[in-house]
Amino acid sequence: ALAHMRAALELDPVSPRVNGDVGRLFYLAGRHEQAIAQCRRSQALLPEELRHRDCVVHALVEKGARKEATTEAAAILREHAGAGTGESTDPVEPDGDVLTAYWRWAGTTIAERAARGEDSHVHAAAAWARAGEPDRAFAQLEAAWAVRRTP
C-alpha cells in the first residue's frame, strides 16, 4: 500500500489528501518520525484539515513524545475554542489533562464530521478510546458498522 501511495505522491506531490494518506500509512506501520514529517507536510498544504494534525498527535504519543503531543493538542484545542460560536475561550485548564481533553474534543468533532460523511466513525472511535470512553468508542464502531451495512 505504501509503495502505491508513494507513486501517487510522485504524481501529485502537492495533494494534501495523498500526503496525509501517506502519513497515516507511516503511522499505521509504526514509522512515527516519517508519519509526523509527512502529516506536517500535508498540514502545511491544508492547515484547516484536522485529520493531519490528529495524526501528528497520535504519532507523537506512540513514539513517547508526550510533552510534544500535549503541546500540539493544546494548540489545536486553543485554535478551535469557540469555533462557530464567536467565542474565544481557553479550553485547556492549567491542571487538567490536556491529552484527555483533546481526545474528547476530537471524538466529538470527528463523530460530527463522520455523521456528515466527511470522516470515519472508526477515526472517532479511536479518539474516544484514547479518552478512556469505551461506551462512546463502541457507539462509533456501531455507527461504522451501520454505515458499512447500508447499501
Side-chain angles (χ1 to χ4, degrees), residues 127-147:
W128 283 118
R130 284 196 182 261
E133 302 266 0
D135 291 341
R136 288 182 169 179
F138 281 116
Q140 287 302 305
L141 291 174
E142 288 172 353
W145 178 252
V147 168

Side-chain angles (χ1 to χ4, degrees), residues 31-102:
R31 295 161 63 177
H32 300 116
E33 288 296 332
Q34 290 171 296
I36 293 164
Q38 194 66 48
C39 286
R40 288 205 191 279
R41 271 195 281 291
S42 187
Q43 178 184 339
L45 294 166
L46 190 62
E48 64 274 9
E49 179 58 53
L50 173 62
R51 181 174 278 274
H52 310 140
R53 292 188 77 183
D54 188 54
C55 179
V56 170
V57 176
H58 278 274
L60 288 168
V61 168
E62 291 295 320
K63 80 170 206 159
R66 190 170 177 84
K67 184 175 181 181
E68 193 177 345
T70 299
T71 300
E72 182 77 20
I76 294 168
L77 286 173
R78 287 189 178 106
E79 287 171 23
H80 292 278
T85 65
E87 296 177 19
S88 181
T89 56
D90 188 347
V92 182
E93 296 183 21
D95 297 331
D97 180 355
V98 173
L99 284 174
T100 299
Y102 170 76

